[in-house]
Amino acid sequence: GARGRITPGQNPLVELTVQTNRAGVAACAADSLSDTVVDRVSSYVDVKITSLNRRLDSLNEQTASLGRKIAAQERALTQRGLTPLEQLVLVSQTENAEQRRGIVEEERQEATQQLALAQEVERARVVERAGAVKTTARSPQNSAVVGGIIGLILGAVAAAAWPVVGPRRTA
């Protein structure tokens, strides 16, 4: 069971243990279970990542479109025969497009940072793949037997040492 509180957006470190007589089966089962857990707890973040990728695609498209528009306006400015008013309008349009491109670039950088955060921090992942480890059989019965044997040994040692230690303590 899990202990403690988990705040929303926090990915706790979870250790998964599978016990069986066959090491390969245990490792495979643990890997499969951990992959399932990661998929289930990451569904919201996966939707967020998809949305951010779409947003980045749109922003990249806007940046490219604005770049083409600015280049066309700059080419138009080099043409001869433009009236001062036409030149002023083209310069104003070019400045507006450059400002918009700057805003879109800032939005693109922010979306890129949010995507990196979602992928690297928010999305759950398996930190370490499963590995088989030999362990001793632990059960309440085994623990009671081992405790009883240790108690008998300590009792035998105390009984053997009592004739030597006992008379000294009373004197």
Side-chain angles (χ1 to χ4, degrees):
R3 290 185 184 176
R5 290 190 176 167
I6 299 172
T7 57
Q10 177 187 21
N11 284 330
L13 183 60
V14 177
E15 183 179 74
L16 184 83
T17 303
V18 176
Q19 294 179 348
T20 183
N21 292 336
R22 299 184 62 202
V25 171
C28 185
D31 284 339
S32 178
L33 286 170
S34 62
D35 290 340
T36 300
V37 169
V38 165
D39 289 343
R40 287 202 180 165
V41 300
S42 295
S43 61
Y44 167 76
V45 178
D46 289 341
V47 170
K48 182 178 182 179
I49 289 170
T50 299
S51 175
L52 286 168
N53 278 323
R54 285 185 188 145
R55 177 84 175 125
L56 276 172
D57 290 345
S58 172
L59 291 169
N60 288 335
E61 195 174 295
Q62 288 179 42
T63 300
S65 174
L66 287 166
R68 289 189 299 272
K69 183 177 183 179
I70 292 167
Q73 290 169 341
E74 288 174 345
R75 281 192 304 274
L77 277 171
T78 61
Q79 294 177 357
R80 295 181 183 206
L82 292 174
T83 66
L85 180 60
E86 290 172 328
Q87 289 177 351
L88 183 62
V89 168
L90 279 172
V91 166
S92 176
Q93 288 176 342
T94 303
E95 288 175 353
N96 286 342
E98 287 175 345
Q99 286 177 345
R100 177 68 187 138
R101 183 171 61 178
I103 291 168
V104 170
E105 181 59 30
E106 286 178 13
E107 290 176 11
R108 194 180 73 76
Q109 288 176 359
E110 183 179 328
T112 300
Q113 290 173 351
Q114 289 175 349
L115 178 62
L117 179 68
Q119 290 172 329
E120 300 301 321
V121 177
E122 295 175 5
R123 188 171 197 296
R125 65 182 174 276
V126 176
V127 176
E128 187 177 319
R129 298 311 290 181
V133 177
K134 285 191 175 193
T135 60
T136 58
R138 291 186 189 155
S139 69
Q141 294 84 7
N142 289 352
S143 297
V145 169
V146 170
I149 292 172
I150 291 172
L152 283 173
I153 293 171
L154 290 176
V157 169
W162 186 254
V164 176
V165 176
R168 289 185 189 165
R169 297 193 96 213
T170 58

